C-alpha cells in the first residue's frame, strides 16, 4: 500500500500468494487423504462389519389409528383394511409404460394417474406410492397372476380411515390426509419423527389433528435381513406396534345429526354445551363436507369445489366465524349492570323509541318505543333504548372487563385443530383494543358515541358461536365457567385405562345468586311472553332464551323491509338458550347467517335441539322459518 | 482449386482457438468419472445419466462462448451482474418462496430461480473489477469497501438460510481480497477475532445448523435423524477399503443407505466402489485442475484477470474440499455439490462459466501483450 504503484512488485506479491495458496491446497488435500487412509485402511475392518450389519433393515410397522366414538358409543371414525396397488418409482424403469400395461389388466382411471403424479412429486423416490386404492378381490387375484411382469409394483394391505356418518360432525372430527412438508415441520417441532416413520397420513383439522399424538399409536419395527438386491430374506425380530388411543366424546351424534338437519340448507352454526362440565353436546357448522373425500387424497376437482364454494363449507363457523351478537348481548349487559351496581331490577326508563346522544339519534326497533321499561321488560321485549342508556352509563372499559370475564373475545381453548390458534378470537372492543387495532392516531381514539351501539351487541363486537355458547353456559351454571371440550375421555389401548379430560372449572365469576336469578327469570320470560314465545309455545319444560339480530350492513336510517334486501345482505339471526331453566342440562348458541330475525330462523332450531335432548322428540325435518315472528318483532 | 482440407483445418483451429487443453482434459476426466458414478448411484434406467450428459453439453457450450469473450468484456459484466444478483437477493429476502424452512428461491411463474447462484460468479468478478479500478491508488479504505461488497450478499444468503452457498460466495470474494494483497496482519487478526467470536456465531446459527455441527462431533447421538447421513456415508467410504468394492457393487449405495447419493453425497458412492485408489485419482485430478488454474492466474497480464483467475481456481478447491470433507465426516453437512461430479445442471453451468473465464484469460493474454 505504498504511495506509488509498482506493477512488478504487485506481480511478485501475487505470485508469492499463489504459491502460498497452492501449499494451503496441498495441505488441505493431505488432510482429506489422511482421513481417507484412516477410514479405508486403518478402520477398514470396522466399517466393513458395519456395512455388513447394514444388511439388516428396520422396517417400520404402522399402528392402527385410534377410534373415535360419541357419548353413546356410536362410531364416528374407524379404520378398515383394503388392498392397494403400489409402485416404487425408483425400481420401475419407465413409469408411463408400466402404468399403461397395468391399466390393461386393472381399471386405472385418469384421476388415479393424476393422484399418482401428485403424490410422486411430494414423495421420496424410494417410497412406494399407491396407483389404485381399494382393489376388489378379483383385481387382487388378476394382478397376482401377472405379478412377474411388474417389478417394483406390488399389492399391499393398508388401513384406511373411514367416517361412517359421512358429513355428520365433520367440522368437529376433522379428517386425515397425506403428510406434507408443513406437517413434517410440526412433527419435528414435537420431536415425534420416530413415531411417524412409515406413516403417511396425519390429522389435518378438528379432533383428528388436535389429538394426533394420542390417536396415532406407537410405531413397531421389524428387523429384516435383506440381500444385496434389497429383497427381504427373513424376519429376525418383530416389535409389534401399539394401536393409537381411542377417543370417547361428549358429543351426541344423534343430537348432532338432528341439529344439522334442522339447519337444512341454511348457513350457520350451533354449539350446545353441558353447563355443569363444559362438555360439548353438538357442534354444528353448516354447510358441512364429507371427510371421507380426503382419505385417499382428495381430487383437485373436489378440493376446488369445497374451497371455492360461496357458502364456504370448509370453514368451521363455530370456532372461526366471528359475528356481532346482536340482542343476545343484552342479558350479559343486564347482568353486568347488576353486578356493578349500575342498575337495579326495578329501575325503569321511559322509552320514546330513540335515544339521543350528541347530535346523533339511536333508534329502537319499535316505533314509538316500549313505554315504561324495567330490566325484565328490557330483555323480554328486547328494548334497545334501555341498553343505549345502560352502555353509556357503564362505559366501554367496564363492559369489556365483564364480558372478558365471561370469555367473550377470547379463545376458549376448545380441543379442535393443532393448537389454540386454530380458533378465532373475535373482537372484544375496548379503548386498549382500539389503540392496538388501528395505526392512525385519530382512529385509535375511542369515541363515547361508539359505546352506545356496543350496548345492543352491534358496533365492533364480534364473537364466535362457541364463545356465546360458553358465556350462556356460564350464566346457566351460576357463574362457574368451564373450558368447552369435545373429548370426554381417552382410552389407553395399552392399559385399557380411561383418562378423563379435565373438567375443573377454569373460573368462578362469583356472581350474586339473586342477580343471576333476575336474568334467568327474564330469559324465561322471553320464551313465555316475549320474542321467543312463538318458537317455544307449548314446551313442557321451562327454557331460558334470548333472540338476537345482527346487522350485516347499515341501512342508514332506511326502514328494514324483509323482501327488499338481497339474501346475502339479510341480517344474521341469533338465539341463545338454556334448559331446563332451573336445572340446566343444555346451553346453546345458534347463529343463522342471513337468517333475518332471531325469532324467525334461529329460535325454531334451538327448540328442536332442546326438544330432542330433553324429551327425545324427533323432528320431522328442517326447522321452519317463522315469518309471523317477523311481524311481531318489528311491530 | 479450393483448399478444402486447409479451410476445414483453419475452421477447426478457429473453433478451438480459445480452448485450454489441459483444463479441458482434466474437467472431461472428472466428468467421465462423475457420469459413471451417477449411473451406479441411480442404477435403474439411464434417465439421470442422459440428463446429466445433456447438462454437460449445455454447460460446455456456455464455456465455449465465454472463453471467446476477451477479459475486457468480462469486466464489463462485473457491475451489472453484481447489481442484478444483489437486487434478486433482496427480492428473495422480501418475497422469496419458502421451502423446508429456507427462503432461497424466487418464483418467476413458470420456473423458480436461486439468485445466490449468480453471486458465485458475480462476486469475484465485481471485486476483481474493483481492485483493478483502484490498482494505482490502493489504500486501506479500498479493502474496507471490498469487504462491504462481500459481506452484504454473504449476509443475505446466510440469512436465507443457505450456509453452503454463503460459504462459497464468501470464500470466492475473500480469495480476491487475499490475492489483491490484504496485509497479513489483518488476515491473522481476522483469524484471532474469528476464533474468539465463535461462541457468538454459534448463538446466531439456526437450531438445525447447530444440530448438524453437534452431530458431526458425535453422529451416534442421532443415528436415525441428522447423524444418519454422516454415519452412512462414513460406513460407505470406510467399507470401500484400499481398492473398493468394484464398480456397481457398493452395498451401501445399492441398498439405499446413502441419502442424496447422486447429488451431494456422490463422493460416498464413488469412494465405496473405488476405494482409496479411486480417491487418490480424484484428488490428483482436482490438484491438477487447481494447479493449472493458478498457473493461468500467475501468467495473466492484468490485475483483473489475475485476481479473477485466482479466485475462480480457489473456488473450485473450496467446492471440492468442503464436499469431500463433509461426506467423509470432518466438516459439517452444508449442502455443497462435488464439482463436475454431482448431478445437477445449475452447478455445472456455474462451474463451466468459471472454466470459460479461465480459458478466456489464458488465451487472450498474447493479444494483450501485442
Amino acid at each position: 500500500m505504498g504511495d506509488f504503484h509498482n506493477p512488478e512488485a504487485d506481480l511478485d506479491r501475487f505470485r508469492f500468494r499463489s504459491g502460498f495458496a497452492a501449499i494451503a491446497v496441498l495441505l488441505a488435500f493431505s488432510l482429506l487423504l489422511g482421513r481417507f487412509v484412516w477410514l479405508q485402511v486403518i478402520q477398514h475392518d470396522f466399517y466393513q462389519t458395519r456395512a455388513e450389519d447394514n444388511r439388516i433393515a428396520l422396517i417400520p410397522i404402522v399402528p392402527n389409528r385410534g377410534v373415535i366414538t360419541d357419548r353413546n358409543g356410536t362410531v364416528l371414525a374407524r379404520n378398515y383394511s383394503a388392498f392397494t396397488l403400489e409402485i416404487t418409482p425408483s425400481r420401475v424403469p419407465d413409469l408411463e409404460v408400466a402404468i399403461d400395461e397395468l391399466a390393461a389388466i386393472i381399471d386405472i382411471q385418469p384421476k388415479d394417474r393424476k393422484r399418482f403424479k401428485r403424490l410422486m412429486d411430494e414423495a421420496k423416490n424410494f417410497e412406494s406410492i399407491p396407483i389404485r386404492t381399494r382393489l376388489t378381490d378379483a383385481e387382487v387375484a388378476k394382478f397376482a397372476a401377472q405379478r412377474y411382469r411388474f417389478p417394483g409394483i406390488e399389492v399391499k394391505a393398508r388401513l384406511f380411515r373411514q367416517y361412517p356418518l359421512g358429513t355428520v360432525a365433520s367440522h368437529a372430527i376433522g379428517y386425515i390426509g397425506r403428510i406434507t412438508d408443513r406437517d413434517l415441520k410440526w412433527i419435528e417441532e414435537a420431536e415425534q419423527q420416530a413415531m411417524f416413520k412409515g406413516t403417511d397420513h396425519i390429522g389435518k383439522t378438528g379432533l383428528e389433528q388436535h389429538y394426533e399424538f394420542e390417536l396415532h399409536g406407537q410405531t413397531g419395527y421389524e428387523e429384516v435381513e435383506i440381500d444385496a438386491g434389497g429383497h427381504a430374506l427373513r424376519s429376525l425380530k418383530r416389535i409389534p406396534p401399539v394401536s393409537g388411543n381411542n377417543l370417547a366424546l361428549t358429543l351426541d351424534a344423534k343430537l348432532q345429526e338432528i341439529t344439522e338437519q334442522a339447519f337444512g340448507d341454511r348457513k350457520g352454526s350451533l354449539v350446545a354445551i353441558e353447563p355443569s362440565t363444559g362438555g360439548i353436546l353438538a357442534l354444528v357448522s353448516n354447510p358441512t363436507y364429507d371427510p371421507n373425500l380426503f382419505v385417499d387424497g382428495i381430487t383437485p376437482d373436489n378440493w376446488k369445489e369445497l374451497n371455492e364454494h360461496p357458502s364456504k363449507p370448509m370453514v368451521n363457523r363455530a370456532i372461526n366465524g366471528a359475528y356481532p351478537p346482536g340482542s343476545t348481548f343484552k342479558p350479559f349487559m343486564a347482568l353486568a349492570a347488576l353486578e356493578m351496581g349500575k342498575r337495579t331490577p326495578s329501575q325503569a326508563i321511559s322509552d320514546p323509541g330513540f335515544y339521543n346522544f350528541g347530535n346523533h339519534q339511536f333508534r329502537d326497533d319499535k316505533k314509538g318505543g316500549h313505554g315504561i321499561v324495567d330490566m325484565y321488560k328490557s330483555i323480554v321485549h328486547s328494548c334497545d333504548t334501555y341498553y343505549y342508556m345502560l352502555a353509556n352509563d357503564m362505559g366501554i372499559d367496564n363492559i369489556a372487563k365483564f364480558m372478558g370475564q365471561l370469555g367473550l373475545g377470547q379463545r376458549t381453548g376448545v380441543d379442535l385443530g393443532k393448537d389454540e390458534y386454530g380458533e378465532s378470537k373475535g373482537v372484544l372492543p375496548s379503548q386498549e383494543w382500539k389503540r392496538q387495532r388501528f395505526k392512525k392516531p385519530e382512529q385509535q381514539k375511542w369515541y363515547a358515541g361508539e359505546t352506545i351501539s356496543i350496548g345492543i351487541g352491534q358496533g365492533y363486537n364480534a364473537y364466535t358461536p362457541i364463545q356465546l355458547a360458553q358465556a350462556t353456559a356460564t350464566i346457566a351454571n351460576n357463574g362457574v365457567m368451564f373450558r368447552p371440550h369435545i373429548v370426554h375421555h381417552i382410552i389407553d389401548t395399552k392399559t385399557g385405562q380411561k383418562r378423563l379430560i379435565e373438567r375443573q372449572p377454569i373460573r368462578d365469576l362469583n356472581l350474586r345468586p339473586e342477580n343471576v336469578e333476575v336474568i334467568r327469570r327474564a330469559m324465561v320470560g322471553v320464551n313465555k311472553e316475549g320474542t321467543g314465545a312463538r318458537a317455544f309455545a307449548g314446551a313442557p319444560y321451562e327454557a331460558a332464551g334470548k333472540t338476537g339480530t345482527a346487522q350485516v350492513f347499515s341501512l342508514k336510517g332506511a326502514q328494514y323491509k324483509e323482501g327488499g334486501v338481497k339474501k346475502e345482505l339479510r341480517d344474521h339471526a341469533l338465539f341463545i338458550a338454556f334448559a331446563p331453566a332451573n336445572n340446566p342440562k343444555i346451553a346453546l348458541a345458534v347463529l343463522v347467517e342471513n337468517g333475518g330475525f332471531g325469532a324467525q330462523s334461529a329460535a325454531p332450531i334451538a327448540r328442536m335441539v332442546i326438544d330432542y335432548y330433553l324429551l327425545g322428540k324427533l323432528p320431522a325435518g328442517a326447522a321452519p322459518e317463522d315469518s309471523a315472528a317477523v311481524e311481531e318483532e318489528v311491530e | 482449386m479450393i483448399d478444402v482440407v486447409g479451410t476445414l483445418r483453419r475452421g477447426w483451429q478457429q473453433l478451438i482457438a480459445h480452448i485450454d487443453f489441459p483444463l479441458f482434459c482434466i474437467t472431461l476426466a472428472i466428468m467421465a468419472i462423475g457420469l459413471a458414478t451417477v449411473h451406479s448411484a441411480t442404477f435403474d434406467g439411464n434417465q439421470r445419466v442422459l440428463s446429466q450428459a445433456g447438462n454437460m453439453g449445455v454447460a460446455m457450450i456456455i464455456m465455449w462462448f465465454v472463453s471467446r469473450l476477451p477479459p475486457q468484456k468480462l469486466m464489463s459484466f462485473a457491475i451489472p451482474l453484481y447489481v442484478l444478483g444483489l437486487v434478486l437477493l433482496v427480492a428473495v429476502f422480501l418475497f422469496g418462496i419458502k421451502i423446508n424452512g429456507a427462503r432461497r428461491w424466487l418464483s418467476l411463474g413458470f420456473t423458480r430461480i436461486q439468485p445466490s447462484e449468480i453471486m458465485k460468479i458475480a462476486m469475484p468478478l465485481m471485486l476483481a473489477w474493483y481492485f483493478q479500478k483502484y490498482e494505482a491508488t490502493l489504500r486501506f479504505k479500498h479493502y474496507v469497501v471490498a469487504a462491504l461488497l462481500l459481506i452484504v450478499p454473504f449476509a443475505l444468503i446466510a440469512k436465507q438460510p443457505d450456509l453452503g452457498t454463503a460459504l462459497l460466495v464468501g470464500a470466492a470474494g475473500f480469495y480476491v481480497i487475499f490475492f489483491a494483497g490484504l496485509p497479513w496482519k489483518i488476515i491473522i487478526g481476522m483469524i484471532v477475532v474469528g476464533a474468539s467470536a465463535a461462541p457468538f456465531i454459534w448463538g446466531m446459527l439456526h437450531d438445525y445448523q447447530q444440530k448438524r455441527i453437534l452431530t458431526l462431533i458425535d453422529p451416534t447421538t442421532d443415528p436415525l435423524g441428522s447423524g444418519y447421513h454422516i454415519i452412512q456415508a462414513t460406513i460407505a467410504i470406510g467399507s470401500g477399503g484400499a481398492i473398493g468394492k468394484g464398480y456397481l457393487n457398493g452395498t451401501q449405495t445399492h441398498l439405499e443407505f446413502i441419502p442424496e447419493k447422486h447429488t451431494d453425497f456422490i463422493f460416498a458412492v464413488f469412494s465405496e466402489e473405488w476405494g482409496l485408489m479411486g480417491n487418490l485419482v480424484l484428488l490428483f485430478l482436482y490438484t491438477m485442475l487447481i494447479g493449472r488454474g493458478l498457473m493461468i492466474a500467475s501468467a495473466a497480464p492484468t490485475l483483473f484477470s489475475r485476481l479473477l483467475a485466482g479466485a475462480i481456481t480457489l473456488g473450485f478447491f473450496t467446492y471440492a474440499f468442503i464436499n469431500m470433507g463433509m461426506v467423509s465426516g470432518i466438516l459439517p453437512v452444508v449442502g455443497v455439490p462435488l464439482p463436475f461430479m454431482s448431478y445437477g445442471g445449475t452447478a455445472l453451468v456455474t462451474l463451466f462459466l468459471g472454466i470459460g473465464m479461465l480459458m478466456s484469460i489464458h488465451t487472450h493474454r498474447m493479444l494483450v501483450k501485442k
Side-chain angles (χ1 to χ4, degrees):
Chain A
M1 268 185 283
D3 278 326
F4 63 94
H5 176 57
N6 181 348
E8 279 308 310
D10 276 359
L11 191 58
D12 282 348
R13 186 178 59 204
F14 182 85
R15 289 194 171 141
F16 175 73
R17 292 207 171 194
S18 289
F20 178 84
I23 292 168
V25 167
L26 287 177
L27 279 177
F29 277 176
S30 310
L31 181 67
L32 281 180
L33 194 61
R35 175 70 176 168
F36 299 153
V37 170
W38 169 257
L39 291 177
Q40 300 188 304
V41 178
I42 300 167
Q43 295 275 69
H44 172 62
D45 288 347
F46 170 72
Y47 286 111
Q48 180 74 37
T49 325
R50 298 269 323 250
E52 288 295 322
D53 287 348
N54 255 350
R55 296 191 175 198
I56 294 164
L58 287 180
I59 297 172
I61 311 170
V62 179
N64 291 353
R65 196 172 172 84
V67 169
I68 304 177
T69 53
D70 87 334
R71 65 191 291 129
N72 302 314
T74 307
V75 176
L76 299 176
R78 67 177 173 208
N79 314 301
Y80 72 96
S81 178
F83 290 110
T84 61
L85 194 59
E86 303 196 359
I87 303 182
T88 310
S90 63
R91 286 166 56 187
V92 179
D94 190 332
L95 278 173
E96 285 300 323
V97 172
I99 295 174
D100 286 342
E101 281 177 17
L102 207 55
I105 55 166
I106 281 173
D107 181 34
I108 291 171
Q109 297 289 326
K111 71 172 168 83
D112 293 321
R113 287 172 189 255
K114 261 193 221 158
R115 180 186 52 201
F116 178 79
K117 274 227 173 67
R118 200 180 62 244
L119 292 177
M120 201 168 89
D121 288 342
E122 293 164 7
K124 293 238 165 60
N125 212 25
F126 48 82
E127 282 173 8
S128 69
I129 297 165
I131 175 86
R132 258 292 308 278
T133 54
R134 303 177 210 211
L135 297 180
T136 62
D137 288 349
E139 284 174 322
V140 172
K142 252 194 218 163
F143 177 78
Q146 309 241 7
R147 237 218 91 161
Y148 66 93
R149 286 174 52 202
F150 300 104
I153 303 180
E154 54 201 326
V155 170
K156 283 191 178 171
R158 289 215 184 217
L159 282 173
F160 285 89
R161 196 67 163 165
Q162 190 196 23
Y163 305 99
L165 299 189
T167 59
V168 175
S170 53
H171 286 102
I173 302 164
Y175 56 85
I176 62 167
R178 306 268 314 185
I179 295 178
T180 61
D181 286 347
R182 203 132 114 269
D183 300 317
L184 279 178
K185 223 179 138 198
W186 173 35
I187 292 168
E188 262 170 47
E189 277 163 14
E191 300 196 345
Q192 296 287 1
Q193 293 99 317
M195 185 154 128
F196 283 86
K197 285 246 149 69
T199 301
D200 41 30
H201 286 83
I202 194 168
K204 294 287 185 180
T205 62
L207 294 168
E208 290 273 32
Q209 189 180 37
H210 188 89
Y211 292 99
E212 175 60 40
F213 299 133
E214 295 284 354
L215 289 165
H216 182 277
Q218 277 170 28
T219 302
Y221 284 98
E222 190 168 11
E223 278 187 24
V224 180
E225 192 181 325
I226 48 181
D227 67 12
H231 306 293
L233 293 178
R234 63 194 168 105
S235 172
L236 300 174
K237 190 164 125 195
R238 191 172 188 274
I239 299 153
V242 180
S243 294
N245 297 334
N246 298 335
L247 304 182
L249 308 186
T250 58
L251 201 82
D252 182 326
K254 190 70 195 165
L255 179 72
Q256 176 84 19
E257 199 177 340
I258 285 168
T259 314
E260 287 175 14
Q261 281 166 8
F263 268 88
D265 56 5
R266 283 170 282 191
K267 291 178 288 177
S269 170
L270 179 144
V271 178
I273 296 179
E274 189 175 53
S276 58
T277 62
I280 291 178
L281 302 169
L283 184 132
V284 174
S285 175
N286 214 44
T288 62
Y289 58 89
D290 184 355
N292 289 303
L293 289 175
F294 290 87
V295 171
D296 308 342
I298 188 163
T299 63
D301 290 347
N302 281 337
W303 177 247
K304 215 176 146 194
E305 163 81 22
L306 284 176
N307 255 312
E308 293 175 8
H309 197 279
S311 63
K312 298 200 184 329
M314 298 299 292
V315 172
N316 187 350
R317 292 170 160 81
I319 61 171
N320 289 122
Y323 307 89
S327 299
T328 60
F329 202 53
K330 287 171 182 168
F332 306 128
M333 282 292 292
L335 183 60
L338 292 173
E339 286 289 317
M340 292 180 175
K342 296 280 182 190
R343 288 286 185 278
T344 66
S346 54
Q347 224 172 334
I349 63 151
S350 175
D351 170 23
F354 56 84
Y355 174 67
N356 285 326
F357 184 85
N359 45 19
H360 186 83
Q361 190 174 72
F362 292 87
R363 298 155 61 132
D364 195 285
D365 272 346
K366 188 167 173 176
K367 261 197 178 148
H370 291 92
I372 303 297
V373 178
D374 64 359
M375 184 172 279
Y376 178 83
K377 196 174 169 189
S378 77
I379 292 178
V380 171
H381 292 294
S382 203
C383 170
D384 288 347
T385 311
Y386 185 93
Y387 290 95
Y388 290 144
M389 288 182 181
L390 175 59
N392 191 38
D393 287 353
M394 285 179 68
I396 186 62
D397 284 352
N398 277 332
I399 298 174
K401 193 177 156 208
F402 187 82
M403 300 305 164
Q405 285 278 306
L406 271 176
L408 294 176
Q410 285 153 28
R411 296 189 179 94
T412 61
V414 66
D415 44 359
L416 287 176
K418 189 167 73 183
D419 48 40
E420 58 176 282
Y421 296 104
E423 202 184 341
S424 302
K425 263 176 86 171
V427 175
L428 174 64
S430 66
Q431 294 198 50
E432 179 58 29
W433 167 81
K434 213 177 171 198
R435 252 199 302 281
Q436 302 208 341
R437 171 69 183 72
F438 293 103
K439 281 203 186 97
K440 292 184 186 151
E442 65 269 23
Q443 290 174 318
Q444 288 180 327
K445 188 183 177 330
W446 185 271
Y447 297 98
E450 291 176 316
T451 310
I452 311 298
S453 45
I454 296 294
I456 61 159
Q458 304 287 357
Y460 294 116
N461 273 317
Y463 308 118
T464 60
I466 197 170
Q467 288 170 3
L468 285 176
Q470 185 190 33
T472 309
T474 304
I475 292 188
N477 204 37
N478 301 313
V480 180
M481 187 158 135
F482 289 89
R483 180 178 71 91
H485 54 269
I486 303 183
V487 171
H488 184 265
H489 62 264
I490 299 171
I491 304 156
D492 193 308
T493 35
K494 220 181 334 187
T495 60
Q497 268 178 343
K498 290 181 179 179
R499 248 183 303 137
L500 279 180
I501 290 299
E502 45 88 12
R503 50 169 69 161
Q504 292 300 311
I506 49 175
R507 195 180 301 150
D508 186 346
L509 271 60
N510 291 316
L511 302 176
R512 313 233 321 251
E514 60 271 28
N515 290 345
V516 178
E517 194 50 34
V518 170
I519 304 301
R520 189 194 311 271
R521 269 195 297 110
M523 286 176 75
V524 168
V526 168
N527 287 344
K528 278 200 172 145
E529 49 174 321
T531 49
R534 292 179 61 92
F536 279 85
Y541 49 82
E542 242 188 4
K546 181 70 194 84
T547 55
T549 306
Q551 280 174 13
V552 174
F553 79 121
S554 165
L555 281 159
K556 298 228 165 100
Q559 183 54 273
Y560 184 75
K561 255 285 172 237
E562 178 72 2
V565 187
K566 272 204 266 172
K567 174 106 181 168
E568 311 82 71
L569 297 175
R570 276 172 65 180
D571 292 345
H572 296 327
L574 291 109
F575 193 71
I576 56 170
F578 58 87
N582 52 355
N583 178 26
K585 297 262 183 274
I586 180 170
L588 56 82
V590 194
L591 170 115
V592 180
E593 281 183 17
N594 316 116
F597 290 103
Q600 178 187 357
S601 48
I605 295 176
R607 172 77 195 267
M608 275 189 173
V609 170
I610 299 173
D611 271 3
Y612 172 75
Y613 191 67
L614 295 183
L615 311 172
K617 197 174 137 192
L618 292 170
E625 276 211 13
D626 183 1
S627 42
V630 179
E631 304 304 321
E632 207 167 89
E633 211 162 325
V634 286
E635 241 179 90
Chain B
M1 211 176 83
I2 307 159
D3 180 7
V4 180
V5 179
T7 315
L8 277 179
R9 200 176 57 208
R10 275 194 301 280
W12 172 249
Q13 276 171 349
Q14 257 300 306
L15 201 66
I16 61 165
H18 293 279
I19 301 296
D20 179 64
F21 279 92
L23 264 188
F24 192 58
C25 294
I26 297 165
T27 48
L28 274 187
I30 303 177
M31 286 196 302
I33 295 175
L35 270 187
T37 315
V38 168
H39 172 70
S40 176
T42 52
F43 207 52
D44 311 282
N46 271 325
Q47 245 172 308
R48 285 221 173 70
V49 175
L50 291 175
S51 130
Q52 178 73 345
N55 291 338
M56 288 172 177
V58 173
M60 281 191 286
I61 291 170
I62 291 172
M63 172 200 82
W64 183 81
F65 274 110
V66 174
S67 69
R68 301 183 77 81
L69 301 174
Q72 209 55 35
K73 188 87 189 154
L74 296 179
M75 218 156 107
S76 68
F77 288 128
I79 299 179
L81 209 58
Y82 180 84
V83 171
L84 175 75
L86 201 59
V87 168
L88 291 179
L89 280 179
V90 171
V92 168
F93 180 72
L94 295 178
F95 18 74
I97 328 169
K98 209 165 187 177
I99 299 172
N100 288 334
R103 204 183 289 281
R104 296 175 187 172
W105 293 269
L106 262 191
S107 176
L108 297 181
F110 58 97
T111 186
R112 53 177 193 239
I113 55 165
Q114 196 175 341
S116 49
E117 203 62 36
I118 298 175
M119 268 299 162
K120 286 182 184 169
I121 292 294
M123 176 64 76
L125 261 181
M126 177 69 191
L127 289 181
W129 168 86
Y130 181 78
F131 282 110
Q132 166 90 62
K133 184 171 162 65
Y134 294 102
E135 185 184 10
T137 56
L138 197 61
R139 296 261 187 315
F140 182 71
K141 69 169 188 203
H142 295 116
Y143 290 107
V144 176
V145 174
L148 280 176
L149 287 172
L150 171 67
I151 285 167
V152 173
F154 175 83
L156 281 170
I157 299 169
K159 183 87 192 134
Q160 290 177 349
D162 186 351
L163 207 54
T165 311
L167 274 176
L168 294 178
V169 170
F174 172 78
Y175 296 142
V176 178
I177 301 176
F178 168 74
F179 282 128
L182 183 67
W184 289 105
K185 274 186 284 186
I186 296 180
I187 297 174
I188 293 164
M190 270 164 48
I191 293 170
V192 173
V193 171
S196 45
F200 298 100
I201 295 170
W202 175 257
M204 277 161 58
L205 291 178
H206 279 255
D207 281 353
Y208 80 94
Q209 290 167 333
Q210 287 188 355
K211 213 167 164 184
R212 273 180 187 176
I213 296 170
L214 285 179
T215 45
L216 180 78
I217 297 164
D218 184 10
T220 53
T221 50
D222 191 9
L224 285 175
S226 47
Y228 183 82
H229 293 198
I230 304 172
I231 294 176
Q232 294 302 341
T234 327
I235 293 175
I237 297 173
S239 65
I243 56 164
K245 294 178 187 168
Y247 185 50
L248 301 184
N249 283 331
T251 56
Q252 285 288 98
T253 305
H254 295 284
L255 296 182
E256 308 268 357
F257 285 106
I258 300 177
E260 314 200 22
K261 52 197 161 66
H262 59 288
T263 56
D264 287 359
F265 278 77
I266 195 166
F267 179 70
V269 177
F270 173 77
S271 192
E272 179 180 25
E273 296 183 346
W274 297 97
L276 187 61
M277 180 187 74
N279 294 352
L280 277 170
V281 171
L282 199 60
L283 277 180
F284 175 73
L285 286 173
Y286 281 123
T287 312
M288 296 288 286
L289 180 76
I290 293 157
R292 179 68 189 159
L294 289 178
M295 273 170 66
I296 290 176
S298 298
T302 65
L303 180 63
F304 169 77
S305 37
R306 275 201 296 273
L307 295 181
L308 185 60
I312 289 173
T313 305
L314 288 193
F316 293 150
F317 156 72
T318 315
Y319 269 65
F321 180 68
I322 292 186
N323 181 279
M324 289 190 277
M326 79 180 192
V327 176
S328 63
I330 54 171
L331 290 175
V333 178
V334 285
V336 170
L338 188 58
F340 307 106
M341 290 267 290
S342 287
Y343 177 86
T346 319
L348 265 184
V349 168
T350 314
L351 289 164
F352 271 106
L353 275 174
I355 294 283
M357 288 180 181
L358 283 178
M359 290 182 175
S360 153
I361 289 167
H362 198 57
T363 55
H364 286 90
R365 73 191 193 287
M366 295 308 184
L367 304 172
V368 175
K369 267 184 188 166
K370 277 175 201 164

